[in-house]
Amino acid sequence: MRTDGMLKDDALKGQTIIVTGGGTGLGRAMGKYFLELGANLVITSRKMEVLEKAAQELEAETGGKVLPVQCDVRDYEQVENVLAKTEERFGQIHCLLNNAAGNFVSPTERLSNRAFDTIIDIVLKGSTNFTLALGKKWIAAEQAGTVLNIVTTYAWTGSGYVVPSACAKAGVLAMTRSLAVEWAKYKIRLNAIAPGPFPTEGAWSRLLPGDLIDKFDPAKLVPVGRVGEHQELANLAAYLMSDFSSYVNGEVVTIDGGEWLMGAGEFSHLEKVPQAMWDMLEAGRGKKS
């Protein structure tokens, strides 16, 4: 298994990329690789102290330029402020990564309407706010652009216990595919990534506290037998941001080690049947060795 960078060092040279939710977790990991490939990086979230710390660390680690801008993606005016500050600092904006998200793992009947509002507003409304605001700028300026959205495999299957997230991510996926067709004439591409389990510090412990994280170890549900490395996701994101993927449009790329296919197969759970029992079943059918 390789976990080093995949693209040429200058693959994103001169590009300015906005990453929502870019101060922590997977957003930070992808942003770091964009910097290593020569991009200018803008990171946003609601907590300025987190952004400033991340910006300092990322600049020290990569030698690149990072602009932290506080933003609640649910507020269109704050989104427009991010674009204005980015243009003021770097000039043109070339790419957008809609990564900001939230989730509750809970029986749906235990959720309030406000819980639904929170997740749908951050994930779906936040993604549409940034995409619409930046898309309008690109179209008016007759400038090409690239949007990459982070969705999830249950965006197309649905999933119990994460219903607000499933609704919101399905909407983001629909937007991705719809605008990929509508805006292609403006030289604006939209694609999505559906990641499987990529552990981030703190996030999983909040979703599955205590010994639940061991009981429901996601690696046990992945056919390749492990969770993803952050660099693997960063490699894919950088490729989809770069000109190397200029003929990829309206696509969602799954990177999950086969996890969703494992869950989709009606009999996939039979992997838990021990070999001795298979021997007994075959003997019962009269199969000869």
Side-chain angles (χ1 to χ4, degrees), residues 153-154 156-159 221-223 254 256-271:
T153 53
Y154 57 71
W156 55 84
T157 64
S159 177
L221 302 175
V222 180
T254 302
D256 73 346
E259 181 199 30
W260 94 267
L261 294 172
M262 178 74 174
E266 182 177 357
F267 294 97
S268 294
H269 62 283
L270 293 183
E271 70 164 9

Short mmCIF file of all heavy atoms in Angstrom, two decimals, residues 153-154 156-159 221-223 254 256-271:
data_model
loop_
_atom_site.label_atom_id
_atom_site.label_comp_id
_atom_site.label_asym_id
_atom_site.label_seq_id
_atom_site.Cartn_x
_atom_site.Cartn_y
_atom_site.Cartn_z
N THR A 153 -21.56 7.35 0.39
CA THR A 153 -22.20 6.28 -0.36
C THR A 153 -23.68 6.15 -0.04
O THR A 153 -24.46 5.72 -0.88
CB THR A 153 -21.49 4.94 -0.10
OG1 THR A 153 -21.43 4.70 1.31
CG2 THR A 153 -20.08 4.95 -0.66
N TYR A 154 -24.09 6.53 1.16
CA TYR A 154 -25.52 6.42 1.46
C TYR A 154 -26.31 7.59 0.86
O TYR A 154 -27.52 7.70 1.07
CB TYR A 154 -25.80 6.23 2.95
CG TYR A 154 -25.27 7.29 3.90
CD1 TYR A 154 -25.84 8.56 3.97
CD2 TYR A 154 -24.25 6.98 4.79
CE1 TYR A 154 -25.38 9.50 4.87
CE2 TYR A 154 -23.78 7.91 5.70
CZ TYR A 154 -24.35 9.18 5.75
OH TYR A 154 -23.89 10.12 6.64
N TRP A 156 -26.90 7.65 -2.22
CA TRP A 156 -27.75 6.98 -3.22
C TRP A 156 -28.48 5.76 -2.67
O TRP A 156 -29.42 5.29 -3.29
CB TRP A 156 -26.97 6.62 -4.47
CG TRP A 156 -25.74 5.79 -4.28
CD1 TRP A 156 -25.64 4.44 -4.17
CD2 TRP A 156 -24.39 6.28 -4.23
NE1 TRP A 156 -24.34 4.05 -4.03
CE2 TRP A 156 -23.54 5.16 -4.07
CE3 TRP A 156 -23.81 7.54 -4.30
CZ2 TRP A 156 -22.15 5.28 -3.97
CZ3 TRP A 156 -22.43 7.66 -4.20
CH2 TRP A 156 -21.62 6.53 -4.04
N THR A 157 -28.10 5.27 -1.53
CA THR A 157 -28.82 4.13 -0.95
C THR A 157 -29.74 4.55 0.18
O THR A 157 -30.70 3.85 0.49
CB THR A 157 -27.85 3.08 -0.40
OG1 THR A 157 -27.10 3.66 0.70
CG2 THR A 157 -26.90 2.59 -1.47
N GLY A 158 -29.44 5.68 0.82
CA GLY A 158 -30.11 6.02 2.07
C GLY A 158 -29.52 5.20 3.20
O GLY A 158 -28.81 4.21 2.98
N SER A 159 -29.77 5.62 4.44
CA SER A 159 -29.29 4.86 5.59
C SER A 159 -30.07 5.26 6.83
O SER A 159 -30.28 6.45 7.08
CB SER A 159 -27.80 5.13 5.83
OG SER A 159 -27.36 4.44 7.00
N LEU A 221 -16.13 -3.82 8.41
CA LEU A 221 -17.15 -3.81 7.37
C LEU A 221 -16.56 -3.54 5.99
O LEU A 221 -17.30 -3.43 5.01
CB LEU A 221 -18.21 -2.74 7.68
CG LEU A 221 -18.94 -2.89 9.01
CD1 LEU A 221 -19.87 -1.71 9.23
CD2 LEU A 221 -19.71 -4.20 9.07
N VAL A 222 -15.24 -3.41 5.92
CA VAL A 222 -14.57 -3.08 4.66
C VAL A 222 -13.89 -4.33 4.11
O VAL A 222 -13.06 -4.93 4.80
CB VAL A 222 -13.53 -1.97 4.86
CG1 VAL A 222 -12.83 -1.64 3.54
CG2 VAL A 222 -14.19 -0.72 5.44
N PRO A 223 -14.22 -4.76 2.90
CA PRO A 223 -13.64 -5.99 2.35
C PRO A 223 -12.11 -6.00 2.34
O PRO A 223 -11.52 -7.07 2.54
CB PRO A 223 -14.20 -6.03 0.92
CG PRO A 223 -15.52 -5.38 1.04
CD PRO A 223 -15.31 -4.26 2.02
N THR A 254 -16.29 6.69 -5.67
CA THR A 254 -16.32 6.06 -4.35
C THR A 254 -14.93 5.60 -3.97
O THR A 254 -14.23 4.98 -4.77
CB THR A 254 -17.27 4.85 -4.36
OG1 THR A 254 -18.57 5.29 -4.75
CG2 THR A 254 -17.34 4.20 -3.00
N ASP A 256 -13.80 3.60 -0.78
CA ASP A 256 -14.23 3.00 0.50
C ASP A 256 -13.79 1.55 0.68
O ASP A 256 -14.31 0.86 1.56
CB ASP A 256 -15.75 3.10 0.62
CG ASP A 256 -16.50 2.14 -0.29
OD1 ASP A 256 -15.88 1.59 -1.22
OD2 ASP A 256 -17.71 1.95 -0.07
N GLY A 257 -12.88 1.08 -0.14
CA GLY A 257 -12.41 -0.29 0.03
C GLY A 257 -13.47 -1.35 -0.24
O GLY A 257 -13.32 -2.50 0.14
N GLY A 258 -14.56 -0.96 -0.90
CA GLY A 258 -15.65 -1.89 -1.20
C GLY A 258 -16.72 -1.96 -0.13
O GLY A 258 -17.59 -2.83 -0.17
N GLU A 259 -16.69 -1.01 0.83
CA GLU A 259 -17.61 -1.08 1.98
C GLU A 259 -19.07 -1.06 1.56
O GLU A 259 -19.87 -1.88 2.03
CB GLU A 259 -17.35 0.09 2.93
CG GLU A 259 -18.25 0.06 4.16
CD GLU A 259 -18.32 1.40 4.86
OE1 GLU A 259 -18.19 2.45 4.18
OE2 GLU A 259 -18.53 1.41 6.08
N TRP A 260 -19.45 -0.15 0.67
CA TRP A 260 -20.88 -0.04 0.38
C TRP A 260 -21.37 -1.25 -0.42
O TRP A 260 -22.51 -1.69 -0.25
CB TRP A 260 -21.19 1.29 -0.32
CG TRP A 260 -21.22 1.29 -1.81
CD1 TRP A 260 -20.19 1.58 -2.64
CD2 TRP A 260 -22.35 1.02 -2.65
NE1 TRP A 260 -20.59 1.49 -3.96
CE2 TRP A 260 -21.93 1.16 -3.99
CE3 TRP A 260 -23.68 0.68 -2.41
CZ2 TRP A 260 -22.77 0.96 -5.08
CZ3 TRP A 260 -24.52 0.48 -3.51
CH2 TRP A 260 -24.07 0.62 -4.82
N LEU A 261 -20.51 -1.82 -1.23
CA LEU A 261 -20.89 -3.03 -1.96
C LEU A 261 -21.07 -4.20 -1.00
O LEU A 261 -21.95 -5.05 -1.19
CB LEU A 261 -19.84 -3.37 -3.01
CG LEU A 261 -19.70 -2.37 -4.16
CD1 LEU A 261 -18.50 -2.71 -5.01
CD2 LEU A 261 -20.97 -2.33 -4.99
N MET A 262 -20.25 -4.22 0.03
CA MET A 262 -20.38 -5.25 1.06
C MET A 262 -21.74 -5.17 1.73
O MET A 262 -22.44 -6.17 1.91
CB MET A 262 -19.28 -5.06 2.10
CG MET A 262 -19.31 -6.03 3.25
SD MET A 262 -18.75 -7.66 2.76
CE MET A 262 -18.73 -8.46 4.35
N GLY A 263 -22.16 -3.95 2.04
CA GLY A 263 -23.45 -3.78 2.71
C GLY A 263 -24.61 -3.97 1.77
O GLY A 263 -25.71 -4.35 2.20
N ALA A 264 -24.40 -3.72 0.47
CA ALA A 264 -25.49 -3.83 -0.49
C ALA A 264 -25.80 -5.27 -0.87
O ALA A 264 -26.91 -5.59 -1.27
CB ALA A 264 -25.15 -3.04 -1.76
N GLY A 265 -24.82 -6.16 -0.75
CA GLY A 265 -25.02 -7.55 -1.13
C GLY A 265 -25.90 -8.28 -0.12
O GLY A 265 -25.59 -8.32 1.07
N GLU A 266 -26.97 -8.88 -0.60
CA GLU A 266 -27.93 -9.52 0.31
C GLU A 266 -27.29 -10.62 1.14
O GLU A 266 -27.67 -10.84 2.29
CB GLU A 266 -29.09 -10.09 -0.52
CG GLU A 266 -30.18 -10.74 0.34
CD GLU A 266 -31.34 -11.24 -0.50
OE1 GLU A 266 -31.31 -11.03 -1.74
OE2 GLU A 266 -32.26 -11.84 0.06
N PHE A 267 -26.31 -11.31 0.57
CA PHE A 267 -25.69 -12.43 1.28
C PHE A 267 -24.24 -12.13 1.71
O PHE A 267 -23.52 -13.05 2.11
CB PHE A 267 -25.72 -13.68 0.40
CG PHE A 267 -27.11 -14.18 0.15
CD1 PHE A 267 -27.80 -13.86 -1.00
CD2 PHE A 267 -27.75 -14.98 1.09
CE1 PHE A 267 -29.08 -14.31 -1.24
CE2 PHE A 267 -29.04 -15.45 0.87
CZ PHE A 267 -29.71 -15.11 -0.29
N SER A 268 -23.83 -10.89 1.64
CA SER A 268 -22.45 -10.57 1.97
C SER A 268 -22.10 -10.92 3.42
O SER A 268 -20.95 -11.21 3.74
CB SER A 268 -22.17 -9.07 1.74
OG SER A 268 -22.25 -8.76 0.37
N HIS A 269 -23.11 -10.88 4.29
CA HIS A 269 -22.85 -11.19 5.70
C HIS A 269 -22.41 -12.64 5.91
O HIS A 269 -21.94 -13.00 6.99
CB HIS A 269 -24.10 -10.91 6.55
CG HIS A 269 -25.27 -11.77 6.17
ND1 HIS A 269 -26.04 -11.53 5.06
CD2 HIS A 269 -25.79 -12.87 6.76
CE1 HIS A 269 -27.00 -12.43 4.97
NE2 HIS A 269 -26.87 -13.28 5.98
N LEU A 270 -22.55 -13.47 4.89
CA LEU A 270 -22.15 -14.87 5.04
C LEU A 270 -20.63 -15.04 5.17
O LEU A 270 -20.16 -16.15 5.44
CB LEU A 270 -22.66 -15.70 3.86
CG LEU A 270 -24.18 -15.86 3.75
CD1 LEU A 270 -24.54 -16.75 2.58
CD2 LEU A 270 -24.76 -16.41 5.05
N GLU A 271 -19.90 -13.95 5.03
CA GLU A 271 -18.45 -14.05 5.27
C GLU A 271 -18.17 -14.46 6.72
O GLU A 271 -17.09 -14.95 7.06
CB GLU A 271 -17.77 -12.72 4.98
CG GLU A 271 -18.11 -11.62 5.96
CD GLU A 271 -17.14 -10.45 5.87
OE1 GLU A 271 -16.33 -10.42 4.95
OE2 GLU A 271 -17.20 -9.60 6.74
#
